[in-house]
Amino acid sequence: AHTASNMKSRIFIGLMAVSLVALLAAGCAGKGTEKKKESTAPAEKAAPVIDPETTLLLKDLEENGDYVNSQYFPSLIKASIVFEELDKNNLVIDLRPEEQFAAGHIKGAVNRQFPGIPEYLEAGIKPFEYDKIILVCEDGQLSSYTTALLRMMGYGNVFAMRWGMGGWNRQYAEAGWMKGLSAAYEDRLETTSNETPAAVGMPVPGTGLQTGSEISDARFRKLFEKGAGNILISADEVYADPSKYFVINLERKDKYDAGHIPGAVRYKPEATLGFPDMMATIPTDKITVVYCGTGHNSAFATAFLRLFGYDARTLRYGNNSFMYDRMVKDRNTLSWLPFTLEESNDYPVVK
């Protein structure tokens, strides 16, 4: 009798449980005639428009070593190393104007102008017979820009001498870098972060060619033919009206937060170049100004952006040109690199 009573209790409890589940299910399902609620989830953003030629160009650079995201970027070399290796199997190419070269240059250096560099490497010498090909200019920025292009073209033994001739001998440092140092705009630094724009698209190469290697070759040659007369921009030009430009800051976040050009957007050096989703956020209807601490890294980045059709400029002397005193003050806490005569040497020049 006890067992039968227990059995009846379990059956009753089971029926009640089934009824409860049915009621809950009906409540969740709602009436059969009720319309489903429309989703309130935000619509997915449209993918940026990337031209097929741009895709081929990106793929070609990636297949050839993805230089801008490799351990060799940027390819800078100290003046002290150049001096120590003067008797070794290296070639120094001086990019300065003929009159500057004639007035004094590194022993053994040859003078070649920017537009003629590809022809010189293709027909004038056998580049890979040298251990290093070292490019030198006045302050290190033209040589950095040129080195980036040549590295992407496949010349894996090319380097830019840091600080240019200003790092070689103090007379050049005093005539160049020391005159470029300024704290003129420290009172106009911005400390609030600016948002990265929405990804829209990238410039169209428009070469009409069918393969990545053909497109790359055409773009490199066009850049050398155009010359390097407008790759640099000064802090005075930018601060005259920062809104005219799209300003890219290529520094660590703590440096960016400490003070940057008004309107500048921070892009991560290791996650921008060669990443179409990030490059597509860079507007194509404005001049793009890229800057870093010294102008070397930004010159490398400028070369990459110009290869893809952006009207990019590198800020001459970088942060040194507009917030120099702040860099000196916070040198230890933020690891700034303000140029001083200590960065220069007293190595000889020949005429």
Side-chain angles (χ1 to χ4, degrees), residues 23-82:
L23 285 171
L24 290 173
C28 292
K31 296 180 181 179
T33 57
E34 186 178 351
K35 293 182 179 180
K36 292 182 179 179
K37 293 182 180 180
E38 294 183 3
S39 174
T40 57
E44 291 186 6
K45 294 181 180 179
V49 178
I50 308 296
D51 185 79
E53 283 194 21
T54 301
T55 301
L56 289 171
L57 179 55
L58 283 164
K59 185 177 180 181
D60 184 68
L61 294 175
E62 184 177 357
E63 290 176 347
N64 283 285
D66 194 17
Y67 168 66
V68 293
N69 293 297
S70 72
Q71 61 178 319
Y72 307 107
F73 180 90
S75 304
L76 293 170
I77 188 171
K78 294 180 179 179
S80 58
I81 301 299
V82 179

Side-chain angles (χ1 to χ4, degrees), residues 76-80 82 92-96 100 104 106 134-144 159-174 176-177 294-296 316-317 339 343-345 347 349:
L76 293 170
I77 188 171
K78 294 180 179 179
S80 58
V82 179
V92 177
I93 301 177
D94 194 318
L95 300 171
R96 293 176 300 155
Q100 292 184 21
I106 297 173
I134 300 151
L135 301 183
V136 178
C137 65
E138 180 182 356
D139 52 29
Q141 289 191 264
L142 174 57
S143 55
S144 295
F159 298 83
M161 191 169 78
R162 183 183 285 276
W163 310 119
M165 288 299 288
W168 185 263
N169 188 285
R170 292 193 175 190
Q171 65 172 312
Y172 298 102
E174 290 170 350
W177 266 96
T294 64
H296 291 93
R316 192 170 194 183
Y317 304 122
F339 183 86
E343 305 293 343
S344 190
N345 296 279
Y347 299 139
V349 295

